Amino acid sequence: MSNDGRGVHDLIVFLAVLATGTVLVALGVSPQSLAAIAIALSGLYAAWRGGRREP
């Protein structure tokens, strides 16, 4: 694993998504909506990561 700071970015993104989910649950968002939001966020994160690994 290269040390290019990606691990730190992954941690920041993970904590941001976790905090967003916590806030949405506290605000009373329905579980179905929360699931749709989580799927959309995971798709955006996968696109941000590029979906490919360098050889």
Side-chain angles (χ1 to χ4, degrees), residues 12-46:
I12 292 169
V13 171
F14 172 74
L15 292 175
V17 170
L18 186 62
T20 302
T22 303
V23 168
L24 290 173
V25 167
L27 292 175
V29 175
S30 70
Q32 295 85 4
S33 296
L34 191 56
I37 292 168
I39 291 168
L41 288 175
S42 66
L44 288 173
Y45 179 68

